[in-house]
Amino acid sequence: MNSSEENSKLELEKNIQTDFKKAMSYGDYLHLDKILASQHRLSDHHDEMLFIIIHQASELWMKLIIHELTASIGYIRRNDLEPSFKILSRVSRIQQQLIQSWSVLSTLTPSEYLEFRDKLGQSSGFQSYQNRMIEFALGNKNTHTLAVYQHQTQIYEKMQEALHKPSIYDAAIQALVARGIPVDVEVLNRDLSKNHEPNESVEEAWLTVYRNVDQYWDLYELAEKLVDIGNQQQLWRFNHMSTVERIIGHKQGTGGSSGVPYLKRILDQHFFPELWSLRTKL
């Protein structure tokens, strides 16, 4: 194709907007000037840009997960389960993006990371309040972690509020009760700022659902969506741990944690325990 033919084809697109003096452009809508100006390297090392962008992009995905989980919890608490299914499927896809991001970060070698690690000071992914809010929303509550945010009043208050809100699993258990499936009162009236402890009545309630799928299809579908996002969160945790081990071995984390040993302990904290234990009893 010669240049005149190319120009002819381009001229066919006469409706393409080119004047944005009084119109909103793509960059305006997304505030790209602010987003793309937010990568400030503290060293001259080439790979620090990778480190910054991976974490910033992850925080954006986490913001979307929180947005989606909040909506899903709202639907479930109103006993309107079906709209939550698509939302939870989306959360699972977003989690896959976060999991994949670790493989990109793992291209950073130990020697390269050491070139700028000292510039990070005491900052650490452990301090990500959005990741903590996701854990809270999934039911992993931990009051002690809030101490990290005391220097940021608004975030601290937001975290306190999230700590005392029902998790998605609390909402799902209430949905069981709304359908006439009994659950112990102490489970329903528990302190929401604490972790849900495995309970026989909750396991029996879910077993009722799994043994009567036709009768409780929506609750069954909800349970499987929860298993999916719980499993994806575990995969994210595992990839986080293995990436950290690959890059820094068993060094202490920049925020003061034990690093890999701490991340390995986190892997023992499972989500939605009865949805896993029932599989043995079916």
Side-chain angles (χ1 to χ4, degrees):
M1 185 183 295
N2 59 42
S3 59
S4 61
E5 289 175 328
E6 289 179 355
N7 290 335
S8 176
K9 284 188 175 294
L10 288 173
E11 288 171 4
L12 293 175
E13 301 289 338
K14 294 180 180 179
N15 291 325
I16 289 179
Q17 180 77 22
T18 58
D19 184 0
F20 292 97
K21 292 177 181 176
K22 296 182 180 179
M24 180 175 64
S25 71
Y26 171 82
D28 295 333
Y29 176 67
L30 295 176
H31 296 279
L32 289 181
D33 54 339
K34 295 178 182 177
I35 294 173
L36 299 178
S38 296
Q39 294 72 48
H40 305 290
R41 287 186 293 167
L42 298 180
S43 74
D44 294 327
H45 198 276
H46 172 85
D47 292 319
E48 190 183 354
M49 184 65 76
L50 163 69
F51 192 81
I52 292 170
I53 289 177
I54 285 290
H55 288 87
Q56 287 183 340
S58 294
E59 289 293 335
L60 285 173
W61 284 125
M62 288 179 192
K63 182 174 184 176
L64 184 55
I65 287 178
I66 293 166
H67 175 72
E68 301 294 354
L69 285 177
T70 301
S72 183
I73 291 170
Y75 279 118
I76 297 167
R77 294 188 71 187
R78 293 191 294 272
N79 205 31
D80 187 11
L81 303 188
E82 289 205 18
S84 73
F85 300 157
K86 179 182 179 182
I87 292 173
L88 294 177
S89 292
R90 179 179 293 163
V91 169
S92 179
R93 299 291 182 89
I94 299 166
Q95 289 173 307
Q96 290 171 22
Q97 294 294 318
L98 285 167
I99 292 166
Q100 182 62 27
S101 71
W102 293 120
S103 69
V104 181
L105 188 59
S106 69
T107 64
L108 181 68
T109 69
S111 298
E112 290 164 347
Y113 182 49
L114 285 174
E115 290 290 329
F116 61 87
R117 187 180 190 233
D118 63 327
K119 300 294 185 181
L120 303 180
Q122 299 301 306
S123 64
S124 166
F126 177 85
Q127 298 148 15
S128 168
Y129 80 89
Q130 290 199 126
N131 181 50
R132 193 68 55 192
M133 287 187 73
I134 290 170
E135 294 272 331
F136 285 1
L138 296 180
N140 181 24
K141 304 290 185 74
N142 188 334
T143 305
H144 301 296
T145 58
L146 267 62
V148 176
Y149 312 105
Q150 288 180 352
H151 67 295
Q152 298 170 295
T153 305
Q154 287 186 328
I155 290 176
Y156 185 73
E157 290 174 354
K158 183 186 290 189
M159 297 297 294
Q160 283 280 7
E161 183 181 354
L163 182 72
H164 291 87
K165 281 184 176 180
S167 71
I168 196 166
Y169 197 47
D170 293 318
I173 292 170
Q174 290 284 357
L176 291 170
V177 175
R179 293 290 290 277
I181 305 175
V183 171
D184 290 345
V185 174
E186 58 263 29
V187 175
L188 303 176
N189 296 332
R190 72 182 190 84
D191 182 352
L192 296 178
S193 69
K194 301 284 198 296
N195 274 337
H196 166 82
E197 295 296 331
N199 178 272
E200 187 176 348
S201 72
V202 174
E203 183 182 68
E204 285 299 320
W206 285 120
L207 279 167
T208 298
V209 170
Y210 275 72
R211 286 169 176 157
N212 301 275
V213 173
D214 290 341
Q215 183 179 354
Y216 299 110
W217 181 88
D218 53 348
L219 289 169
Y220 172 74
E221 181 72 6
L222 174 61
E224 285 299 298
K225 295 293 186 189
L226 293 181
V227 168
D228 191 27
I229 63 173
N231 188 57
Q232 296 282 15
Q233 190 70 4
Q234 283 289 77
L235 288 173
W236 182 86
R237 287 170 166 182
F238 177 80
N239 282 27
H240 182 190
M241 180 273 296
S242 60
T243 302
V244 170
E245 187 170 24
R246 176 171 176 163
I247 296 174
I248 69 166
H250 285 254
K251 291 186 182 73
Q252 186 180 59
T254 49
S257 76
S258 59
V260 169
Y262 169 79
L263 296 173
K264 284 184 176 179
R265 288 198 302 273
I266 293 294
L267 284 170
D268 292 332
Q269 300 172 358
H270 289 281
F271 303 97
F272 325 133
E274 294 86 358
L275 292 179
W276 292 97
S277 63
L278 71 81
R279 282 155 162 74
T280 305
K281 294 188 176 180
L282 272 175

